[in-house]
Amino acid sequence: MSMNGGRDGRRRLVVIGGDAAGMSAASQARRMSGPDELEIVAFERGHFSSYSACGIPYWVGGDVPERDQLVARTPAEHRARGIDLRMRTEVVAIDVAGRRVRARDVESGAESWTSYDGLVIATGARPVRPDMPGVDAPGVHGVQTLDDGEALLDSLERAPGRRAVVVGAGYIGVEMAEALINRGFEVTVVNRGKEPMSTLDPDMGRMVHGAMEGLGITMVNDAEVTKLLTGEDGRVRAVATEDAEYPADLVVLGIGVRPETSLARAAGLPLGAHGGLLTDLAMRVRGHEDIWAGGDCVEVLNLVSGQEQYVPLGTHANKHGQVIGTNAGGGYATFPGVVGTAVSKVCDLEIARTGLREKDAHRAGLRFESVVIESTSRAGYYPGASPMTVKMLAERGTGRLLGVQIVGREGAGKRVDIAAVALTAQMTVQQMTALDLGYAPPFSPVWDPVLVAARKAAAKVRASQR
């Protein structure tokens, strides 16, 4: 790294964003390079650092009792480790040519420039807020930060009634619907897709639909929200589609997120088709030797399709931070890409996917075979065995594994990790059938459900070659 120009002779690394990617990068850079060599200044516009946004639905639902349980490392702990973390300070401009950033104190409005030798952009994502009447009314909430979670919990206490509408049925929408049920609300989910969980193929999403209705959640699919209606007091009172109105004392937007790259765009840095920053394998912003980016503001390479993808997950953010911090601290590391693994749950139904869905494979120009099998989490005779559905996609001709989706009860979700490793290793479904997986009746049938699917997929690939 060619950083050489701090005011006191030290190199200065500036980090924009105080959550997973940014503070992982700062912490790793500090481990790689001592305070006499490297000054680290980090800016965070919110009240919290290094927290788990993924845990917010479980906090709202009451599974996690205290907000601070979601904080991995406080600002004071970061400062004690030699990182100058400036909270409630928002970076408003990046001057690439001048190698400096302009930051504004959120409370006072005072602005100042800070020069850098190296820059880390970890600005995260912003929730999708549709441009429609009523979207900014009291009682309408996004769920992206701990501040959002606190505002929502406060709103739950003050809601005039117990009817909630969740807009969107992705991970956040589904998890928030369950959280609100746990809080004693009547919940309606309005979803533009054919089934909830668009990260699954619709035939697998249908099982999630059934589980949500089993919880008492009203599912409205194939419905586009057109406006949010407000009462005389200005507070939200209903969610409207073209065909109906759904009364609401509280609305949660779970439509998804987009990369927060407005700063990067204004600075002329390269963005991809999804609006995320484009980086090389070392997580350097393409064409900029001393600027790195990671977390929810970047696009990543999908190792299965070979295409850039937007996958905002804390697992990737932390790995990006480790790679960036190693490189910014004078070492060398790379981030090769992802296979698209994710897992979630609705009540006791576990939902997992990795690799490509059918529409992803079509978009990538791949010809494939797909199979669906039913199995059990344990040997059928062992107490507690529960049904599990596995869907598997394999490339026609080669038999290369392309994707796996799993829906089932206890023991289903983390089985997707078998497939994630197989995808990373570019295994064929035939090769997978010989995997030496752990077996005992309390844990699995003799043939693990993932291997049952692999056997069926291998047979279908062979049949297609005749």
Side-chain angles (χ1 to χ4, degrees), residues 77 239 267 271-272 286 364 401 419 442:
E77 288 171 326
V239 171
L271 305 181
R286 293 181 192 173
L401 179 67

Side-chain angles (χ1 to χ4, degrees), residues 39 105 119 123 152 166 190 218 287 326 341 359 411-412 440:
E39 176 189 6
D105 184 294
L119 177 66
T123 44
L152 175 55
V166 177
V190 182
T218 301
T326 298
T341 310
K359 68 178 182 181

Side-chain angles (χ1 to χ4, degrees), residues 171 199-200 340-342 351-357 360 404-405 416:
Y171 292 107
T199 53
L200 303 176
T341 310
I351 308 151
R353 57 73 47 92
T354 188
L356 308 182
R357 298 164 296 180
D360 301 323
V404 171
Q405 299 166 39
V416 79

Side-chain angles (χ1 to χ4, degrees), residues 251-271:
V251 173
V252 174
L253 301 177
I255 309 172
V257 297
R258 294 198 181 107
E260 178 50 88
T261 49
S262 52
L263 272 178
R265 185 184 301 276
L269 298 175
L271 305 181

Side-chain angles (χ1 to χ4, degrees), residues 188-207:
T188 299
V189 176
V190 182
N191 173 38
R192 65 189 298 182
K194 293 186 184 304
E195 297 290 353
M197 299 294 287
S198 62
T199 53
L200 303 176
D201 287 325
D203 57 337
M204 300 295 279
R206 201 166 298 125
M207 290 181 240

Side-chain angles (χ1 to χ4, degrees), residues 304 339 341-343 352-355 373 375-377 388 390-392 401-406 411-429 431-439 443-455:
V304 187
V339 293
T341 310
V343 64
R353 57 73 47 92
T354 188
I373 66 99
S375 184
T376 55
S377 58
M388 185 185 311
V390 180
K391 181 172 185 175
M392 185 171 287
L401 179 67
L402 295 179
V404 171
Q405 299 166 39
I406 305 175
K414 286 296 281 180
R415 269 186 166 87
V416 79
D417 291 340
I418 304 167
V421 173
L423 282 167
T424 305
Q426 298 186 328
M427 294 181 73
T428 68
V429 287
Q431 289 171 329
M432 287 180 67
T433 64
L435 285 173
D436 185 12
L437 303 183
Y439 162 70
F443 301 106
S444 171
V446 171
W447 281 92
D448 187 272
V450 173
L451 300 192
V452 174
R455 288 178 67 183

